[in-house]
Amino acid sequence: MKILFITHNASRSGAPLVLYYFMKWLKEEHPSFSLDLLFVTGGVLEADFKALCDKTYYVKKTGKKPSFLQKVFNKLGLIPIKNKTWFEQCVSKDFDFIYCNTIVSIPYGTKIKTTSQKAKLLVHVHEMEIIISTLLSKFDSYVSQIDRFIAVSKPVKKNLIEKHAILEGKIDLIYECSILTKIEASVKENKTFVVGASGYSYWRKGNDVFLQVARYITKHYPLLDITFQWVGNEFMDKPIIDSDIEKLGLREKVKFVGEVTNPFLQFNSFDVFLMISREDPFPLVCIEVAQMQKPIICFEGATGTADIIAEGGGFVVPYLDIEAVAEKIIYYYNNTAAKMQHGQEAASLFSGYTPEVICPQIYEAVQRTLI
C-alpha cells in the first residue's frame, strides 16, 4: 500500500511526535508499505521523518540553497529547468491512502485526493474549536471530502459532532501517546516547592494565567517557600511576559526557562504540574509528568486531560479560576501524603498512553477508512 502522510510541520511538539511514533511503528510492523511524507513546513524532526520515508516533498521549503545547475543557469542568465511542484510530484505517485495530520494539512490532502479515483482520506484531528476556526475557517467546506476522522480526546470528538455536524460513526476516538522516559525520583537539594508548567509560551497555553496564579499565591501566602517554573519555547510575547514578571515583583518567584535539551530532568524537580491551557486537546506533557508521579491540576472543559484527571491523579477546577488553582496548590504544599498518592494515581492512569498501545489503534482506524 502506498501512503502519503501530510504534516503541518516537523517541530518537536505533540501532533508531529505522534505522527512520527505511528510512522515508525508502521515501518516496523508493515515494512512492505510505501511511506511518503509531505511537509507543509519543516522543523527539527525532518531528518527523523526522512529516515522512515521512501520520499519526502515540501509545499514550501524555506532557506533551501540553489543547486549547482541553478547556479549555472543564473550565472549564464538562462531560464532554469522548472522543477515539478509538490502537487505534481504527489499526484504522479497515485497513492492508495492519504493521512492528514492536523487540520492545517486538510487543504493539501483534499487537493491531491480530487485527482485520484481510489485514494481514501483520513484526518487526525488534534485541534479544538478556537484553533480550527483560527487556522482553517473553511473547515466545513472540506468535510464531505474526508472519509474518516481520528479525534484525540472526548472534547475534540464532541466538537466535531456538535459544531461541524460530522457523524459519530465517522470518528474514531484515539488518545495521544508519548514515549515514557523513566527517571528515578531524586532527593531535592532544598525544600522549595516547585509549581511547574510546560509548552509553547503563548496565550493558548495560559502563560498569563500561570503568572496570575503565581501573583495570587505570593500575595496571599508570602511566607511559603513556593516557586514557579515554565519549561518550553518562548513565543513573540516573551518581552510582555518578562515585563509582567518585573512589574508584578515576581523575579525571585517565577522563571521561564525556555526550551531545554532534556525537559524530563526539569519536570522531575516539579512538585505539582499545572495544565492551565485555555484549549489543549490531549497534551503529551501530561502523559510524561504523570509517569514521574506528579499530580496535575487542569481546567474543566479546556482539555482532554480532564477526562483522565477526573478519575484521580490531581484536580479539575473551574475554567480560569485562579483562586481554585491556588487552593489546590496550597493543599499539596500542606499535604505531602496526598501529593504522593495523587502522583501515583496519575502514573497509573496515564500508563497506557504509549506508542505500543495507541499505534495499533490508529492502524485499525486506517483499515476502517479503507473499507
Side-chain angles (χ1 to χ4, degrees):
M1 181 164 62
K2 292 186 293 184
I3 305 176
L4 174 66
F5 293 92
I6 307 176
T7 182
H8 72 294
N9 67 31
S11 63
R12 196 177 299 278
S13 57
L17 280 171
V18 173
L19 178 64
Y20 173 75
Y21 298 147
F22 178 56
M23 291 180 67
K24 187 173 185 293
W25 179 90
L26 204 59
K27 193 74 174 177
E28 294 169 354
E29 298 295 325
H30 300 275
S32 64
F33 287 3
S34 172
L35 310 182
D36 284 11
L37 178 63
L38 172 62
F39 294 101
V40 177
T41 59
V44 296
L45 292 179
E46 282 181 61
D48 300 273
F49 275 116
K50 287 181 177 180
L52 302 174
C53 297
D54 296 293
K55 188 170 178 57
T56 56
Y57 319 89
Y58 289 86
V59 172
K60 182 179 180 182
K61 188 167 184 178
T62 57
K64 184 179 180 181
K65 295 182 179 179
S67 66
F68 174 75
L69 282 177
Q70 287 174 321
K71 290 179 180 179
V72 172
F73 277 120
N74 291 337
K75 189 171 184 179
L76 296 175
L78 300 174
I79 300 175
I81 299 171
K82 183 182 178 182
N83 293 323
K84 285 185 177 181
T85 65
W86 66 268
F87 179 68
E88 292 169 331
Q89 293 179 73
C90 290
V91 167
S92 67
K93 290 293 289 284
D94 193 24
F95 293 102
D96 302 297
F97 193 86
I98 302 169
Y99 187 112
C100 289
N101 194 46
T102 77
I103 56 103
V104 176
S105 307
I106 290 176
Y108 308 99
T110 53
K111 183 176 181 179
I112 296 168
K113 186 186 177 184
T114 59
T115 68
S116 174
Q117 297 294 320
K118 63 177 181 178
K120 296 287 188 177
L121 175 60
L122 179 145
V123 175
H124 201 148
V125 183
H126 301 261
E127 299 87 0
M128 293 166 67
E129 189 57 25
I130 293 177
I131 297 302
I132 290 175
S133 60
T134 302
L135 299 184
L136 192 62
S137 59
K138 296 181 179 180
F139 174 79
D140 289 344
S141 67
Y142 295 103
V143 168
S144 63
Q145 303 173 65
I146 300 168
D147 297 291
R148 198 163 190 85
F149 299 84
I150 292 176
V152 301
S153 65
K154 290 179 181 177
V156 172
K157 181 177 180 178
K158 181 180 179 182
N159 184 67
L160 292 176
I161 295 169
E162 296 183 355
K163 297 287 188 180
H164 302 284
I166 297 171
L167 296 176
E168 185 174 3
K170 291 183 65 175
I171 306 171
D172 288 293
L173 174 60
I174 304 174
Y175 288 102
E176 308 274 34
C177 62
S178 183
I179 293 175
L180 307 180
T181 302
K182 294 292 184 182
I183 296 180
E184 295 296 328
S186 58
V187 178
K188 297 178 67 170
E189 295 181 1
N190 55 55
K191 299 299 181 180
T192 298
F193 188 96
V194 181
V195 178
S198 183
Y200 285 121
S201 174
Y202 76 126
W203 67 267
R204 183 172 71 85
K205 292 289 187 177
N207 55 5
D208 57 327
V209 180
F210 189 68
L211 288 185
Q212 287 299 324
V213 173
R215 178 201 62 78
Y216 183 91
I217 286 182
T218 302
K219 177 181 179 180
H220 293 279
Y221 303 93
L223 300 181
L224 300 187
D225 188 11
I226 302 176
T227 62
F228 299 79
Q229 190 173 111
W230 185 294
V231 179
N233 285 340
E234 297 173 286
F235 265 33
M236 292 176 63
D237 59 357
K238 183 180 186 303
I240 299 173
I241 293 296
D242 288 344
S243 177
D244 283 346
I245 291 173
E246 184 70 28
K247 291 175 182 176
L248 288 168
L250 296 174
R251 182 185 290 273
E252 301 302 319
K253 288 289 186 177
V254 178
K255 187 175 183 180
F256 282 68
V257 302
E259 186 174 15
V260 296
T261 303
N262 187 353
F264 301 110
L265 294 175
Q266 213 82 32
F267 297 160
N268 207 34
S269 70
F270 296 166
D271 288 276
V272 61
F273 185 79
L274 300 191
M275 173 40 58
I276 50 175
S277 297
R278 289 178 167 86
E279 187 177 271
D280 222 331
F282 201 79
L284 303 194
V285 65
C286 288
I287 303 173
E288 295 159 355
V289 297
Q291 291 310 299
M292 298 180 191
Q293 300 188 15
K294 311 300 178 182
I296 298 169
I297 302 172
C298 63
F299 287 135
E300 183 179 7
T303 173
T305 300
D307 297 337
I308 313 302
I309 296 302
E311 300 178 26
F315 292 106
V316 180
V317 302
Y319 183 67
L320 294 185
D321 191 331
I322 304 301
E323 293 81 3
V325 174
E327 175 189 324
K328 299 308 181 186
I329 292 172
I330 299 303
Y331 172 78
Y332 284 131
Y333 182 90
N334 291 323
N335 293 272
T336 301
K339 184 188 75 170
M340 294 177 63
Q341 178 187 340
H342 289 188
Q344 291 168 359
E345 290 174 357
S348 176
L349 287 165
F350 282 93
S351 63
Y353 299 100
T354 64
E356 293 79 12
V357 174
I358 299 299
C359 288
Q361 297 178 28
I362 298 175
Y363 180 67
E364 289 173 6
V366 170
Q367 292 298 101
R368 281 190 287 271
T369 310
L370 290 168
I371 296 174

